[in-house]
Amino acid sequence: MWCYRGGSISAEPRINDRIRVPEVRLVGPSGEQVGIVPLAKALELAQEYDLDLVEVAANARPPVCKLMDYGKFKYESAMKAREARKNQAHTVIKEMKLRPKIDPHDYDTKKGHVVRFLKQGDKVKITIMFRGREQSRPELGYRLLQRLANDVEDLGFIESNPKQDGRNMIMVLGPHKKKTEAMAEAREAQAARKADAKANPGKSQNVAESDDDVETEVEAEVETPAEAPAEA
């Protein structure tokens, strides 16, 4: 009686001598249909073309095999997967906390963070924290949220209207730009700065280093959870 005792099952296709069937449906190196041929004949053709015989549809009857350069195929597949991961965008919900009686300087600082998050294509959860007697004046929080929404309306919109949540009032802003668009613009701006730095060697070192820092920060924010909330 057969028993599977664990271990990983390879996802790699069978190639060349690892293929164990009497005949295969063969596809040529340019995608042309050769037809059903004995395995020995398919292997002979692979040697003739200096290519590999790769099983591309193991469950077909007979299995479908293709003549290809398997090493080149694996390399190109890895590059495509890497590029796909590079361009993958994950929308992150950032959080910004404010007090209803925040002073103008702190408000401008908080608004600056919200602007940066929206430009990067992230959503922003705005939380107004009420303490003590402030809880009897919810209109203060509502007006502050509306003010902030109006100040950043060119970059974002109100995705979730202000609502009371215990001692807090919450609103969610959504970006007008998609994450992928924001990432593409950031890369284009970085490339333009580097090109300018090469044309002006005197300032190239500082510009290149600052651009590397910006790229690292943008990529980190895409991959990581929401930024720790800041309190006013």
Side-chain angles (χ1 to χ4, degrees), residues 150-176:
N150 291 334
D151 287 346
V152 299
E153 63 182 355
D154 291 342
L155 300 171
F157 61 95
I158 299 177
E159 184 173 287
S160 178
N161 288 314
K163 62 180 180 180
Q164 197 75 27
D165 182 17
R167 294 184 178 182
N168 301 327
M169 183 174 287
I170 296 171
M171 176 181 72
V172 177
L173 296 174
H176 289 313

PDB file of all heavy atoms in Angstrom, residues 150-176:
ATOM      1  N   ASN A 150     -11.758  69.915   3.094  1.00  0.00           N
ATOM      2  CA  ASN A 150     -11.756  70.996   2.108  1.00  0.00           C
ATOM      3  C   ASN A 150     -10.327  71.395   1.719  1.00  0.00           C
ATOM      4  O   ASN A 150     -10.055  71.731   0.564  1.00  0.00           O
ATOM      5  CB  ASN A 150     -12.498  72.224   2.656  1.00  0.00           C
ATOM      6  CG  ASN A 150     -13.993  71.974   2.779  1.00  0.00           C
ATOM      7  OD1 ASN A 150     -14.560  71.148   2.071  1.00  0.00           O
ATOM      8  ND2 ASN A 150     -14.641  72.690   3.691  1.00  0.00           N
ATOM      9  N   ASP A 151      -9.409  71.363   2.691  1.00  0.00           N
ATOM     10  CA  ASP A 151      -8.024  71.762   2.420  1.00  0.00           C
ATOM     11  C   ASP A 151      -7.297  70.793   1.492  1.00  0.00           C
ATOM     12  O   ASP A 151      -6.333  71.178   0.824  1.00  0.00           O
ATOM     13  CB  ASP A 151      -7.240  71.888   3.741  1.00  0.00           C
ATOM     14  CG  ASP A 151      -7.645  73.132   4.532  1.00  0.00           C
ATOM     15  OD1 ASP A 151      -8.320  74.009   3.948  1.00  0.00           O
ATOM     16  OD2 ASP A 151      -7.288  73.213   5.729  1.00  0.00           O
ATOM     17  N   VAL A 152      -7.723  69.532   1.472  1.00  0.00           N
ATOM     18  CA  VAL A 152      -7.024  68.532   0.647  1.00  0.00           C
ATOM     19  C   VAL A 152      -7.924  67.990  -0.472  1.00  0.00           C
ATOM     20  O   VAL A 152      -7.648  66.928  -1.022  1.00  0.00           O
ATOM     21  CB  VAL A 152      -6.497  67.363   1.518  1.00  0.00           C
ATOM     22  CG1 VAL A 152      -5.502  67.866   2.543  1.00  0.00           C
ATOM     23  CG2 VAL A 152      -7.650  66.610   2.200  1.00  0.00           C
ATOM     24  N   GLU A 153      -8.981  68.739  -0.813  1.00  0.00           N
ATOM     25  CA  GLU A 153      -9.950  68.217  -1.781  1.00  0.00           C
ATOM     26  C   GLU A 153      -9.348  67.985  -3.165  1.00  0.00           C
ATOM     27  O   GLU A 153      -9.873  67.197  -3.952  1.00  0.00           O
ATOM     28  CB  GLU A 153     -11.152  69.157  -1.880  1.00  0.00           C
ATOM     29  CG  GLU A 153     -10.825  70.545  -2.387  1.00  0.00           C
ATOM     30  CD  GLU A 153     -12.060  71.436  -2.424  1.00  0.00           C
ATOM     31  OE1 GLU A 153     -13.164  70.910  -2.144  1.00  0.00           O
ATOM     32  OE2 GLU A 153     -11.915  72.649  -2.724  1.00  0.00           O
ATOM     33  N   ASP A 154      -8.229  68.665  -3.490  1.00  0.00           N
ATOM     34  CA  ASP A 154      -7.583  68.439  -4.780  1.00  0.00           C
ATOM     35  C   ASP A 154      -6.900  67.079  -4.843  1.00  0.00           C
ATOM     36  O   ASP A 154      -6.650  66.555  -5.935  1.00  0.00           O
ATOM     37  CB  ASP A 154      -6.539  69.532  -5.053  1.00  0.00           C
ATOM     38  CG  ASP A 154      -7.182  70.893  -5.309  1.00  0.00           C
ATOM     39  OD1 ASP A 154      -8.394  70.909  -5.609  1.00  0.00           O
ATOM     40  OD2 ASP A 154      -6.481  71.911  -5.192  1.00  0.00           O
ATOM     41  N   LEU A 155      -6.597  66.509  -3.676  1.00  0.00           N
ATOM     42  CA  LEU A 155      -5.866  65.240  -3.624  1.00  0.00           C
ATOM     43  C   LEU A 155      -6.735  64.064  -3.185  1.00  0.00           C
ATOM     44  O   LEU A 155      -6.436  62.916  -3.516  1.00  0.00           O
ATOM     45  CB  LEU A 155      -4.672  65.359  -2.663  1.00  0.00           C
ATOM     46  CG  LEU A 155      -3.631  66.415  -3.012  1.00  0.00           C
ATOM     47  CD1 LEU A 155      -2.635  66.564  -1.870  1.00  0.00           C
ATOM     48  CD2 LEU A 155      -2.913  66.040  -4.302  1.00  0.00           C
ATOM     49  N   GLY A 156      -7.782  64.351  -2.430  1.00  0.00           N
ATOM     50  CA  GLY A 156      -8.598  63.253  -1.907  1.00  0.00           C
ATOM     51  C   GLY A 156     -10.051  63.653  -1.712  1.00  0.00           C
ATOM     52  O   GLY A 156     -10.420  64.821  -1.829  1.00  0.00           O
ATOM     53  N   PHE A 157     -10.860  62.661  -1.403  1.00  0.00           N
ATOM     54  CA  PHE A 157     -12.286  62.873  -1.198  1.00  0.00           C
ATOM     55  C   PHE A 157     -12.730  62.155   0.074  1.00  0.00           C
ATOM     56  O   PHE A 157     -12.029  61.270   0.578  1.00  0.00           O
ATOM     57  CB  PHE A 157     -13.082  62.334  -2.394  1.00  0.00           C
ATOM     58  CG  PHE A 157     -12.899  60.847  -2.615  1.00  0.00           C
ATOM     59  CD1 PHE A 157     -13.798  59.937  -2.082  1.00  0.00           C
ATOM     60  CD2 PHE A 157     -11.815  60.371  -3.337  1.00  0.00           C
ATOM     61  CE1 PHE A 157     -13.633  58.569  -2.261  1.00  0.00           C
ATOM     62  CE2 PHE A 157     -11.639  58.995  -3.536  1.00  0.00           C
ATOM     63  CZ  PHE A 157     -12.539  58.105  -2.994  1.00  0.00           C
ATOM     64  N   ILE A 158     -13.886  62.522   0.588  1.00  0.00           N
ATOM     65  CA  ILE A 158     -14.409  61.875   1.796  1.00  0.00           C
ATOM     66  C   ILE A 158     -14.989  60.523   1.406  1.00  0.00           C
ATOM     67  O   ILE A 158     -16.028  60.451   0.766  1.00  0.00           O
ATOM     68  CB  ILE A 158     -15.473  62.749   2.474  1.00  0.00           C
ATOM     69  CG1 ILE A 158     -14.867  64.089   2.901  1.00  0.00           C
ATOM     70  CG2 ILE A 158     -16.058  62.012   3.684  1.00  0.00           C
ATOM     71  CD1 ILE A 158     -15.872  65.040   3.522  1.00  0.00           C
ATOM     72  N   GLU A 159     -14.307  59.479   1.798  1.00  0.00           N
ATOM     73  CA  GLU A 159     -14.780  58.124   1.492  1.00  0.00           C
ATOM     74  C   GLU A 159     -15.756  57.637   2.553  1.00  0.00           C
ATOM     75  O   GLU A 159     -16.698  56.892   2.269  1.00  0.00           O
ATOM     76  CB  GLU A 159     -13.594  57.166   1.396  1.00  0.00           C
ATOM     77  CG  GLU A 159     -13.966  55.756   0.980  1.00  0.00           C
ATOM     78  CD  GLU A 159     -12.755  54.886   0.733  1.00  0.00           C
ATOM     79  OE1 GLU A 159     -12.087  55.070  -0.283  1.00  0.00           O
ATOM     80  OE2 GLU A 159     -12.489  54.018   1.596  1.00  0.00           O
ATOM     81  N   SER A 160     -15.526  58.028   3.795  1.00  0.00           N
ATOM     82  CA  SER A 160     -16.421  57.674   4.891  1.00  0.00           C
ATOM     83  C   SER A 160     -16.704  58.935   5.694  1.00  0.00           C
ATOM     84  O   SER A 160     -15.777  59.551   6.236  1.00  0.00           O
ATOM     85  CB  SER A 160     -15.762  56.608   5.775  1.00  0.00           C
ATOM     86  OG  SER A 160     -16.586  56.282   6.874  1.00  0.00           O
ATOM     87  N   ASN A 161     -17.966  59.345   5.732  1.00  0.00           N
ATOM     88  CA  ASN A 161     -18.337  60.589   6.409  1.00  0.00           C
ATOM     89  C   ASN A 161     -18.025  60.533   7.909  1.00  0.00           C
ATOM     90  O   ASN A 161     -17.974  59.450   8.505  1.00  0.00           O
ATOM     91  CB  ASN A 161     -19.823  60.869   6.207  1.00  0.00           C
ATOM     92  CG  ASN A 161     -20.127  61.286   4.783  1.00  0.00           C
ATOM     93  OD1 ASN A 161     -19.430  62.115   4.205  1.00  0.00           O
ATOM     94  ND2 ASN A 161     -21.175  60.709   4.210  1.00  0.00           N
ATOM     95  N   PRO A 162     -17.830  61.713   8.520  1.00  0.00           N
ATOM     96  CA  PRO A 162     -17.542  61.744   9.960  1.00  0.00           C
ATOM     97  C   PRO A 162     -18.613  61.030  10.773  1.00  0.00           C
ATOM     98  O   PRO A 162     -19.815  61.204  10.534  1.00  0.00           O
ATOM     99  CB  PRO A 162     -17.518  63.246  10.269  1.00  0.00           C
ATOM    100  CG  PRO A 162     -17.163  63.894   8.969  1.00  0.00           C
ATOM    101  CD  PRO A 162     -17.807  63.061   7.919  1.00  0.00           C
ATOM    102  N   LYS A 163     -18.172  60.211  11.711  1.00  0.00           N
ATOM    103  CA  LYS A 163     -19.114  59.525  12.598  1.00  0.00           C
ATOM    104  C   LYS A 163     -18.503  59.366  13.978  1.00  0.00           C
ATOM    105  O   LYS A 163     -17.286  59.241  14.127  1.00  0.00           O
ATOM    106  CB  LYS A 163     -19.502  58.156  12.026  1.00  0.00           C
ATOM    107  CG  LYS A 163     -18.349  57.181  11.879  1.00  0.00           C
ATOM    108  CD  LYS A 163     -18.831  55.859  11.297  1.00  0.00           C
ATOM    109  CE  LYS A 163     -17.664  54.871  11.146  1.00  0.00           C
ATOM    110  NZ  LYS A 163     -18.112  53.576  10.576  1.00  0.00           N
ATOM    111  N   GLN A 164     -19.346  59.389  14.973  1.00  0.00           N
ATOM    112  CA  GLN A 164     -18.898  59.276  16.360  1.00  0.00           C
ATOM    113  C   GLN A 164     -18.590  57.820  16.691  1.00  0.00           C
ATOM    114  O   GLN A 164     -19.348  56.915  16.342  1.00  0.00           O
ATOM    115  CB  GLN A 164     -19.977  59.797  17.309  1.00  0.00           C
ATOM    116  CG  GLN A 164     -19.488  60.116  18.714  1.00  0.00           C
ATOM    117  CD  GLN A 164     -18.692  61.407  18.777  1.00  0.00           C
ATOM    118  OE1 GLN A 164     -18.899  62.302  17.963  1.00  0.00           O
ATOM    119  NE2 GLN A 164     -17.785  61.509  19.738  1.00  0.00           N
ATOM    120  N   ASP A 165     -17.452  57.583  17.331  1.00  0.00           N
ATOM    121  CA  ASP A 165     -17.047  56.243  17.742  1.00  0.00           C
ATOM    122  C   ASP A 165     -16.530  56.337  19.175  1.00  0.00           C
ATOM    123  O   ASP A 165     -15.337  56.518  19.406  1.00  0.00           O
ATOM    124  CB  ASP A 165     -15.971  55.695  16.800  1.00  0.00           C
ATOM    125  CG  ASP A 165     -15.561  54.274  17.160  1.00  0.00           C
ATOM    126  OD1 ASP A 165     -16.307  53.604  17.905  1.00  0.00           O
ATOM    127  OD2 ASP A 165     -14.488  53.826  16.699  1.00  0.00           O
ATOM    128  N   GLY A 166     -17.451  56.223  20.135  1.00  0.00           N
ATOM    129  CA  GLY A 166     -17.064  56.388  21.540  1.00  0.00           C
ATOM    130  C   GLY A 166     -16.635  57.816  21.802  1.00  0.00           C
ATOM    131  O   GLY A 166     -17.376  58.763  21.516  1.00  0.00           O
ATOM    132  N   ARG A 167     -15.428  57.989  22.306  1.00  0.00           N
ATOM    133  CA  ARG A 167     -14.908  59.323  22.577  1.00  0.00           C
ATOM    134  C   ARG A 167     -14.293  59.972  21.335  1.00  0.00           C
ATOM    135  O   ARG A 167     -13.846  61.115  21.401  1.00  0.00           O
ATOM    136  CB  ARG A 167     -13.845  59.257  23.677  1.00  0.00           C
ATOM    137  CG  ARG A 167     -14.387  58.835  25.030  1.00  0.00           C
ATOM    138  CD  ARG A 167     -13.283  58.897  26.067  1.00  0.00           C
ATOM    139  NE  ARG A 167     -13.768  58.554  27.400  1.00  0.00           N
ATOM    140  CZ  ARG A 167     -13.008  58.569  28.499  1.00  0.00           C
ATOM    141  NH1 ARG A 167     -11.728  58.900  28.391  1.00  0.00           N
ATOM    142  NH2 ARG A 167     -13.514  58.249  29.662  1.00  0.00           N
ATOM    143  N   ASN A 168     -14.235  59.262  20.247  1.00  0.00           N
ATOM    144  CA  ASN A 168     -13.590  59.763  19.040  1.00  0.00           C
ATOM    145  C   ASN A 168     -14.598  60.025  17.933  1.00  0.00           C
ATOM    146  O   ASN A 168     -15.710  59.499  17.941  1.00  0.00           O
ATOM    147  CB  ASN A 168     -12.543  58.759  18.530  1.00  0.00           C
ATOM    148  CG  ASN A 168     -11.478  58.471  19.561  1.00  0.00           C
ATOM    149  OD1 ASN A 168     -11.114  59.346  20.346  1.00  0.00           O
ATOM    150  ND2 ASN A 168     -10.981  57.250  19.567  1.00  0.00           N
ATOM    151  N   MET A 169     -14.183  60.840  16.977  1.00  0.00           N
ATOM    152  CA  MET A 169     -14.939  61.043  15.748  1.00  0.00           C
ATOM    153  C   MET A 169     -14.010  60.674  14.594  1.00  0.00           C
ATOM    154  O   MET A 169     -12.844  61.099  14.569  1.00  0.00           O
ATOM    155  CB  MET A 169     -15.419  62.486  15.617  1.00  0.00           C
ATOM    156  CG  MET A 169     -16.282  62.720  14.383  1.00  0.00           C
ATOM    157  SD  MET A 169     -16.980  64.403  14.333  1.00  0.00           S
ATOM    158  CE  MET A 169     -18.223  64.264  15.635  1.00  0.00           C
ATOM    159  N   ILE A 170     -14.506  59.868  13.645  1.00  0.00           N
ATOM    160  CA  ILE A 170     -13.657  59.301  12.598  1.00  0.00           C
ATOM    161  C   ILE A 170     -14.166  59.663  11.211  1.00  0.00           C
ATOM    162  O   ILE A 170     -15.374  59.681  10.961  1.00  0.00           O
ATOM    163  CB  ILE A 170     -13.587  57.764  12.746  1.00  0.00           C
ATOM    164  CG1 ILE A 170     -12.915  57.394  14.068  1.00  0.00           C
ATOM    165  CG2 ILE A 170     -12.832  57.133  11.582  1.00  0.00           C
ATOM    166  CD1 ILE A 170     -12.988  55.927  14.398  1.00  0.00           C
ATOM    167  N   MET A 171     -13.222  59.944  10.321  1.00  0.00           N
ATOM    168  CA  MET A 171     -13.527  60.174   8.918  1.00  0.00           C
ATOM    169  C   MET A 171     -12.416  59.521   8.091  1.00  0.00           C
ATOM    170  O   MET A 171     -11.259  59.513   8.506  1.00  0.00           O
ATOM    171  CB  MET A 171     -13.596  61.674   8.615  1.00  0.00           C
ATOM    172  CG  MET A 171     -13.821  62.023   7.144  1.00  0.00           C
ATOM    173  SD  MET A 171     -13.850  63.832   6.858  1.00  0.00           S
ATOM    174  CE  MET A 171     -12.095  64.221   7.071  1.00  0.00           C
ATOM    175  N   VAL A 172     -12.768  58.965   6.939  1.00  0.00           N
ATOM    176  CA  VAL A 172     -11.765  58.348   6.070  1.00  0.00           C
ATOM    177  C   VAL A 172     -11.703  59.116   4.761  1.00  0.00           C
ATOM    178  O   VAL A 172     -12.734  59.355   4.118  1.00  0.00           O
ATOM    179  CB  VAL A 172     -12.092  56.866   5.788  1.00  0.00           C
ATOM    180  CG1 VAL A 172     -11.074  56.267   4.810  1.00  0.00           C
ATOM    181  CG2 VAL A 172     -12.112  56.067   7.084  1.00  0.00           C
ATOM    182  N   LEU A 173     -10.480  59.512   4.377  1.00  0.00           N
ATOM    183  CA  LEU A 173     -10.250  60.182   3.103  1.00  0.00           C
ATOM    184  C   LEU A 173      -9.647  59.198   2.109  1.00  0.00           C
ATOM    185  O   LEU A 173      -8.740  58.432   2.454  1.00  0.00           O
ATOM    186  CB  LEU A 173      -9.289  61.363   3.285  1.00  0.00           C
ATOM    187  CG  LEU A 173      -9.776  62.520   4.163  1.00  0.00           C
ATOM    188  CD1 LEU A 173      -8.658  63.531   4.358  1.00  0.00           C
ATOM    189  CD2 LEU A 173     -10.996  63.187   3.553  1.00  0.00           C
ATOM    190  N   GLY A 174     -10.150  59.207   0.894  1.00  0.00           N
ATOM    191  CA  GLY A 174      -9.607  58.360  -0.163  1.00  0.00           C
ATOM    192  C   GLY A 174      -8.866  59.202  -1.179  1.00  0.00           C
ATOM    193  O   GLY A 174      -9.257  60.337  -1.461  1.00  0.00           O
ATOM    194  N   PRO A 175      -7.778  58.690  -1.774  1.00  0.00           N
ATOM    195  CA  PRO A 175      -7.007  59.462  -2.759  1.00  0.00           C
ATOM    196  C   PRO A 175      -7.692  59.465  -4.127  1.00  0.00           C
ATOM    197  O   PRO A 175      -8.345  58.504  -4.507  1.00  0.00           O
ATOM    198  CB  PRO A 175      -5.680  58.698  -2.819  1.00  0.00           C
ATOM    199  CG  PRO A 175      -6.064  57.280  -2.527  1.00  0.00           C
ATOM    200  CD  PRO A 175      -7.200  57.353  -1.534  1.00  0.00           C
ATOM    201  N   HIS A 176      -7.538  60.565  -4.855  1.00  0.00           N
ATOM    202  CA  HIS A 176      -8.052  60.608  -6.227  1.00  0.00           C
ATOM    203  C   HIS A 176      -7.220  59.704  -7.136  1.00  0.00           C
ATOM    204  O   HIS A 176      -7.746  59.079  -8.057  1.00  0.00           O
ATOM    205  CB  HIS A 176      -8.013  62.040  -6.771  1.00  0.00           C
ATOM    206  CG  HIS A 176      -9.016  62.953  -6.135  1.00  0.00           C
ATOM    207  ND1 HIS A 176     -10.335  62.595  -5.952  1.00  0.00           N
ATOM    208  CD2 HIS A 176      -8.897  64.218  -5.639  1.00  0.00           C
ATOM    209  CE1 HIS A 176     -10.982  63.596  -5.383  1.00  0.00           C
ATOM    210  NE2 HIS A 176     -10.140  64.588  -5.173  1.00  0.00           N
TER     211      HIS A 176
END
